Amino acid sequence: QAEAEIRTDPKLRADRFVETWRALDRQRAESFRRGDWKAEQGIRNNMGAFAKNLERDPQVESLLRNRHRELGLSMPGRNIGHDVMEHLGLGRGRGLSI
């Protein structure tokens, strides 16, 4: 029943996203501190895939715009999904230089 409520309530889905995101970010940071680059990259890629799911849930993305600090973002842009991808270094601009 709790899972059904989460699936139907955008606020609960946003809460779950923030909770999961923060847990993954802690794991990623710990892997980085340990120097386990492979694990850190794997977690970062998982976070990227997780963030990409926001494109399919505009209600949650809208709710997360006001919770950008909880996601580690300084200022929200037009699209939180893209913002978190950029934060991870997985955005479109990655690897481009002038």
Side-chain angles (χ1 to χ4, degrees):
Q1 182 181 359
E3 281 300 314
E5 284 183 43
I6 290 171
R7 282 193 299 273
T8 58
D9 185 344
K11 185 177 178 334
L12 293 176
R13 288 195 312 271
D15 290 344
R16 177 173 278 178
F17 184 94
V18 170
E19 178 183 319
T20 303
W21 182 264
R22 292 179 72 177
L24 287 169
D25 198 40
R26 282 190 299 274
Q27 291 173 9
R28 184 196 58 77
E30 180 59 32
S31 294
F32 182 83
R33 275 191 291 281
R34 287 192 322 260
D36 188 348
W37 313 123
K38 188 174 182 177
E40 191 268 343
Q41 182 63 42
I43 294 167
R44 188 184 332 184
N45 289 337
N46 288 341
M47 291 172 78
F50 187 59
K52 198 151 182 65
N53 287 330
L54 286 177
E55 293 175 1
R56 290 183 237 131
D57 199 342
Q59 292 173 317
V60 170
E61 184 165 3
S62 177
L63 290 169
L64 290 175
R65 193 174 326 284
N66 296 327
R67 298 175 71 175
H68 62 277
R69 285 196 175 96
E70 291 177 74
L71 298 172
L73 305 173
S74 57
M75 289 294 293
R78 287 182 26 194
N79 186 306
I80 291 291
H82 290 132
D83 292 345
V84 294
M85 295 289 281
E86 289 293 329
H87 175 74
L88 291 172
L90 299 172
R92 291 183 181 169
R94 178 179 66 163
L96 300 178
S97 63
I98 297 178

